[in-house]
Structures are given as structure tokens and as C-alpha cells.
């Protein structure tokens, strides 16, 4: 190679190397943008995302109030930046702090210890906003309510129409009104709104089938034999009287401790006033939904979780009366519940799913 050609070759090589040096190295993938901040009052269903402590999280199934990272229901999707990521999802509005025992009137807005705002939907003597869905609703800066408010039914209405409800209960007592049921739905917004349309209707059918069995087709408001003593030895006692906590309402709420727990959750003093369950249709329906959505009874899961997570109708029976009826205890009673469920799913036009018995 001649000297001139060598010089030209080296010059070209230097130019190529120089250009290579100028090409920027690819930077590591940046963190994802934070999703909307997790809100302890909001209901999340499988696949929904929220950010918490600068991480995005995906809900595995229905959840409300379970902190991402501290509950198995959440799957960590990795770190995130910007967006609305935060720790509680609360707004920055300035409202007075809630005070236990302070009397509030409808329309009062307070800031709770979880960093969220709540508006009083009914006058109350200072009930805790996070356990009362009748007296308080979540409140944002724009004035829009949260997902657990006490005044609005789930978007799109109940999956069971009034005509279908009447078809299911042709001989029902007039106390059990359809409007009372739909008014109660806002207390547990995940009920019959979780999962596919089929799952939503299956859950509604399962709840109403168990209700039908407990009340003889929504005929009985109270149990026939009221002489039983449902006053367990609890520190709060039985202020309404030893024999006052007999079965009432769609799930036949019984025992002083259940009246106490349901009342605390709903923001209504049912321990001192158990009769409200047989005189107020909305409260009566809410006690049934309280048990369905929050109590495992003798089972291992709530009836709500049994239906939305695919465990089947049989597990709802186990959670309601499984210690007496399941495992061969009373197969006729189990079959009665199954028959009602099969009838109601047929009315709603959905399959029953598997695992019907317990």
C-alpha cells in the first residue's frame, strides 16, 4: 500500500471511530409513571392499578383498605416516578381534623387520620368515618364523592332488575322492598359489581338464594321462635334485653356480638336498638350485606370472596351455616339453598358455575 493510500485509510478509520464515540450509549429504562395514588377507601378489583410509596401495584382480586406491600392481594409492579404517586391518595384540601365524640351535621367535611377527607351524609355524634358508610362518604377537593359513599348505588344499577326480583320472590313480605335493597348497596360497593357480568350476576343470585332460604322466600322478617337466648358473655352485655338478639332480616342476624359488630360497621347502634333490623328496610338489607361481604362465619372466606374468586356457591353455604349443614350435617337444607341458586341464576341468564355443594 502506498504512503498516500495508508494515510487516507487511517484518516477514514479515525473518522469512523470518532463517530462511534459520539453515538450516545443507550440509557437504562426509566421508571414507569406512577398510577393514581392508592386510596384506602376505594374498591379495587383484579387487574386495577394504584401507586403507593413510589411503586405501582396491581390488585390480584377485590380489595378495599388493604395496604399495598402489606397485603398479599397486591402485586408489586416496580418503582415509579411522577404522576400522582403517593402514600395514601388523599387530596391536599384543608379541612378540620375529625374528632371522636364531636357532633357533626350533614354536609360537614373533615380530614381523617388516614389523610383522606370525608363528608357527613347524615347527622352523627362523631362516628369513625372509615367504619360508617351511612354517616360518612369520602370527599375530594372537587366535591365528588368516593366509591364507598352512602347515597349512590353502583354505576349502572343493580344487576337484578325489580321485575326479576319480584319474579324471584312472588310471595315476599312487603317489608323487603326492592328500593330498600338498592339503597343498601352503596354500603358495600364491591357487591355484585366485581368481575365479569356473569360473576356479578352469580354473586347476586347466590346472595339472594341464601336470603330466600333464611327467610322462607323473603316472607319472615324475624325468626319464628324468639325465646332463644342469644346473649353471649361479652363486655358490652345485652343492653336491649337478654332475649332481644334473635334472628332478624334477610340473613337472620343473631347474637349480641353480631348486632354490635354490624352496627359499628354501619354506623348504627344496633346493640341498643336491635329492632331497627326489623323496622328499617335499608338497615335490614345492610345487615345481610354486612355479613355477606365481611364475615367468614364457620367457613374460611367471606361469601363475597367465595363468589368473586371462583370458590363456588357451596362455600357461601359453609360461611353462613356450614357448621350445621355442610359435610353431611343437613343435606336437605343444603339442597334447598342450591335449588334457589339454580332458579335465580336461570332468571338472570347465567350458568351456576361449579362447586355448588359443601
Amino acid at each position: 500500500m502506498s504512503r498516500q493510500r495508508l494515510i487516507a485509510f487511517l484518516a477514514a478509520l479515525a473518522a469512523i471511530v470518532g463517530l462511534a464515540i459520539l453515538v450516545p450509549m443507550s440509557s437504562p429504562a426509566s421508571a414507569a409513571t406512577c398510577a393514581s395514588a392508592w386510596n384506602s377507601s376505594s374498591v379495587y378489583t383484579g387487574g386495577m392499578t394504584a401507586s403507593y410509596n413510589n411503586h405501582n401495584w396491581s390488585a390480584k382480586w377485590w380489595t378495599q383498605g388493604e395496604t399495598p406491600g402489606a397485603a398479599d392481594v397486591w402485586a408489586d409492579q416496580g418503582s415509579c416516578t411522577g404522576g400522582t404517586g403517593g402514600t395514601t391518595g388523599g387530596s391536599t384540601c384543608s379541612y378540620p381534623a375529625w374528632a371522636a365524640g364531636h357532633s357533626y351535621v350533614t354536609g360537614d367535611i373533615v380530614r381523617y387520620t388516614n389523610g383522606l377527607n370525608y363528608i357527613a351524609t347524615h347527622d352523627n355524634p362523631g362516628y369513625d368515618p372509615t367504619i360508617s358508610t351511612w354517616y360518612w362518604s369520602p370527599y375530594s377537593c372537587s366535591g365528588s364523592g368516593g366509591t364507598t359513599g352512602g347515597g349512590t348505588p353502583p354505576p349502572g344499577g343493580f344487576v337484578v332488575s325489580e321485575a326479576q326480583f319480584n319474579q324471584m320472590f312472588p310471595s315476599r313480605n312487603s317489608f323487603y322492598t326492592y328500593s330498600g335493597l338498592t339503597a343498601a348497596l352503596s354500603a358495600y360497593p364491591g357487591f355484585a359489581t366485581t368481575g365479569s357480568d356473569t360473576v356479578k350476576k352469580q354473586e347476586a343470585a347466590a346472595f339472594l338464594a341464601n336470603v330466600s332460604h333464611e327467610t322462607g322466600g323473603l316472607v319472615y322478617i324475624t325468626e319464628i321462635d324468639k325465646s332463644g337466648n342469644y346473649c353471649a358473655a361479652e363486655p358490652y352485655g345485652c343492653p336491649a334485653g337478654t332475649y332481644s338478639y334473635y334472628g332478624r332480616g334477610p340473613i337472620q342476624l343473631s347474637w349480641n356480638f353480631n348486632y354490635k359488630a354490624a352496627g359499628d360497621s354501619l354506623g348504627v347502634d344496633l346493640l341498643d336498638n336491635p329492632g331497627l333490623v326489623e323496622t328499617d328496610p335499608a338497615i335490614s338489607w345492610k345487615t345481610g350485606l354486612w355479613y355477606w361481604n365481611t364475615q367468614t362465619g364457620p367457613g374460611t372466606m367471606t361469601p363475597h370472596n367465595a363468589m368473586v374468586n371462583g370458590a363456588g356457591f357451596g362455600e357461601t353455604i359453609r360461611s353462613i351455616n356450614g357448621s350445621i349443614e355442610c359435610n353431611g350435617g343437613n343435606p336437605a337444607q343444603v339442597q334447598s339453598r342450591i335449588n334457589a341458586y339454580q332458579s335465580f341464576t336461570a332468571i338472570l341468564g347465567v350458568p351456576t358455575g361449579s362447586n355448588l355443594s359443601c
Side-chain angles (χ1 to χ4, degrees):
M1 181 182 293
S2 66
R3 185 170 181 274
Q4 288 82 1
R5 288 182 177 179
L6 177 61
I7 292 173
F9 171 77
L10 293 175
L13 180 63
I16 293 172
V17 172
L19 286 174
I21 293 173
L22 292 174
V23 174
M25 299 291 287
S26 59
S27 59
S30 58
T33 300
C34 288
S36 297
W38 173 73
N39 186 318
S40 63
S41 296
S42 295
V43 170
Y44 298 90
T45 57
M48 293 180 68
T49 59
S51 61
Y52 184 78
N53 282 345
N54 297 316
H55 275 241
N56 280 329
W57 302 83
S58 176
K60 299 177 183 177
W61 51 79
W62 186 95
T63 179
Q64 182 181 23
E66 296 174 288
T67 307
D72 184 56
V73 67
W74 291 99
D76 191 348
Q77 302 298 299
S79 60
C80 65
T81 60
T84 56
T87 56
T88 64
S91 66
T92 57
C93 300
S94 178
Y95 293 109
W98 169 80
H102 175 81
S103 294
Y104 294 97
V105 298
T106 302
D108 283 348
I109 303 172
V110 297
R111 191 164 184 80
Y112 190 57
T113 55
N114 61 5
L116 302 178
N117 301 315
Y118 293 83
I119 185 170
T121 49
H122 292 86
D123 297 355
N124 69 87
Y127 291 130
D128 189 314
T130 62
I131 65 171
S132 170
T133 55
W134 175 251
Y135 291 101
W136 295 98
S137 292
Y139 185 86
S140 69
C141 286
S142 63
S144 59
T147 57
T148 60
T152 307
F158 190 31
V159 294
V160 179
S161 70
E162 186 168 7
Q164 290 169 329
F165 179 76
N166 290 335
Q167 184 180 355
M168 293 173 177
F169 304 103
S171 302
R172 64 181 171 84
N173 189 304
S174 60
F175 171 79
Y176 291 112
T177 61
Y178 180 78
S179 60
L181 171 56
T182 55
L185 295 177
S186 59
Y188 296 96
F191 170 74
T193 64
T194 303
S196 66
D197 287 343
T198 295
V199 171
K200 294 172 186 176
K201 291 179 180 179
Q202 286 174 336
E203 183 182 11
F207 171 72
L208 293 173
N210 280 294
V211 162
S212 180
H213 178 83
E214 294 290 326
T215 62
L218 285 184
V219 171
Y220 298 107
I221 303 172
T222 64
E223 65 177 307
I224 297 173
D225 182 4
K226 301 177 178 60
S227 61
N229 181 355
Y230 292 104
C231 185
E234 300 290 347
Y236 42 75
C238 293
T242 302
Y243 295 95
S244 298
Y245 301 95
Y246 51 80
R248 294 178 174 90
I251 292 287
Q252 293 291 283
L253 188 71
S254 307
W255 292 97
N256 59 331
F257 52 82
N258 279 326
Y259 278 87
K260 175 72 164 66
D264 287 348
S265 178
L266 299 171
V268 183
D269 184 4
L270 297 181
L271 183 66
D272 287 288
N273 303 285
L276 288 173
V277 183
E278 62 181 279
T279 57
D280 187 313
I283 290 177
S284 190
W285 279 113
K286 282 183 180 182
T287 62
L289 291 170
W290 166 80
Y291 192 95
W292 184 267
N293 288 277
T294 69
Q295 302 300 297
T296 61
T300 60
M301 64 189 76
T302 66
H304 168 76
N305 282 334
M307 294 308 296
V308 302
N309 294 323
F313 179 72
E315 285 303 312
T316 72
I317 303 173
R318 191 180 302 279
S319 297
I320 292 173
N321 212 25
S323 59
I324 297 175
E325 297 178 14
C326 293
N327 302 319
N330 196 328
Q333 295 294 304
V334 171
Q335 190 59 50
S336 171
R337 296 178 192 267
I338 294 173
N339 292 345
Y341 177 61
Q342 291 173 325
S343 174
F344 292 174
T345 51
I347 289 174
L348 297 179
V350 293
T352 61
S354 57
N355 303 321
L356 295 183
S357 184
C358 62

